[in-house]
Every structure is written in structure tokens, then in C-alpha cells.
Amino acid sequence: KEVGGDYYDVIRQGETSLALILGDVSGKGISAAFYMTLIKGLIMVLLRKDLTPKQILVELNGLLYTTLEKKSFVTMFIAIIDIKTRKIRCARAGHNPALFCSAGQASISRIKPAGMALGFRANPVFSGNIEEQEICYSPDDWLIMYSDGIVEARNPELIEFGEQRFTETVQRFTGGDSRTLLKGLFDEVDRFSQPSKKDTADHVD
């Protein structure tokens, strides 16, 4: 359980495009890590074909459906950022939605195009359930991609940190830079997950 199947990458495509990939293989251990290593290689190949996020996921599902053990599946979120046109194209295979915060606005949008996890169903069922979403962005906007570990963190009463608490925490820190946001998030999750000082004192007594 010291290794797992989490994967994230930032891959430059030419001079004006960046691909952001965040994925998670079900389970833990050597098999999950092996599958994610395989998936990383496949994605690198697919990105050379100049495909859209939806097309990448459909191609990837076709390759994984006959490869993954039937009890295994993969969630993934892909965003391709075109720096020249300031557009982001997103597709999601059963992964957590991303958050988009527009500069100067208090509200945060959930980027949640439809999609099922990779490896569950063969194409064309998989491809028929995958949507793609396009976002126009401006300088100082935020796109926040995350995995389930942060929202499923539990406190001593086994209550999860949750999507709402995560979104509210993000809202508090998007006025600064990315390091401030990350530190604020991690500090908040740590505070939530640890026993209170009173509980610790009672336990020591």
C-alpha cells in the first residue's frame, strides 16, 4: 500500500497548448501503479495525434477495456489549454469535477462534463456517454483539478472533508497565488483531520 495509481502530468503541445491530465486507478499497490505507468505511455502517444480531450479518452478506453482486470477501472480528467485563443477544452471519465473561478467573481463553477470511468464499458457505449466542455478564460482565472483523496479525508468522527467544504476553502484563497491556495487547502485538511486539542488532552488523561 506504499504505492498507488495516482497520476498527474502537464504536457506541452507545440508552442501554444498545454495538456493537463489527472487520473486515478482503482485500488492500491503494485498492480495499480503498473496500470498507471502503462496509461502514462499511452497518453503520451495519443497526445501526438492532436486529438481533443474526448477523443483521447475514447481512444484510451478502447485500449484499456481489454487490458484492465475486470475489477479495475480508471478515472481521469483531461484539460487542454490553448494559450493563444484562451480556451480550455475539458473531458472527464468518472473523475472528480474541476473547479473554475473567474477573476473578480465570487462564485465558483463546477466543470463536470458527463463521462464514465475508463475500462467499465466498451466503445461505442463509452464514447456515447462522454461529453466535452469548452471554457473561455482570462488572466488570473483559476482552473483547479483534484482527486478524491482530499475530499475523502476524514476527521476522527469519520466525517469526510467533502466537496462543499473543499469548494468553500478554495473560495477563501483564490485571491492570492497558487502557493497560498495550496498551503491554505492543506492546512485546512490537516486541521479537519486531526483530533482537537481538547480531545487529545482528554485521551492523555
Side-chain angles (χ1 to χ4, degrees), residues 25-142:
V25 177
S26 61
K28 295 187 181 299
I30 297 299
S31 62
F34 170 79
Y35 282 136
M36 194 48 80
T37 302
L38 169 66
I39 289 166
K40 176 184 169 91
L42 293 173
I43 286 175
M44 296 295 288
V45 172
L46 292 172
L47 283 173
R48 293 178 191 150
K49 295 184 177 183
D50 195 29
L51 303 174
T52 68
K54 176 179 177 178
Q55 290 170 335
I56 291 171
L57 291 176
V58 170
E59 292 271 347
L60 190 57
N61 186 72
L63 295 168
L64 292 177
Y65 182 70
T66 56
T67 303
L68 292 175
E69 298 175 0
K70 292 309 173 188
K71 64 180 180 179
S72 298
F73 60 90
V74 181
T75 68
M76 187 167 289
F77 194 105
I78 297 179
I80 296 182
I81 302 176
D82 190 316
I83 300 169
K84 186 176 181 180
T85 63
R86 290 184 178 171
K87 291 182 178 179
I88 306 171
R89 300 178 77 173
C90 304
R92 187 180 67 97
H95 199 77
N96 300 84
L99 300 181
F100 182 75
C101 182
S102 184
Q105 294 188 11
S107 61
I108 290 182
S109 303
R110 289 163 62 87
I111 310 303
K112 193 178 180 181
M116 64 175 63
L118 296 157
F120 266 146
R121 300 293 296 274
N123 297 336
V125 174
F126 178 88
S127 60
N129 285 276
I130 292 286
E131 293 180 350
E132 193 168 276
Q133 185 172 345
E134 186 175 270
I135 310 164
C136 295
Y137 74 92
S138 301
D140 297 324
D141 288 350
W142 291 83

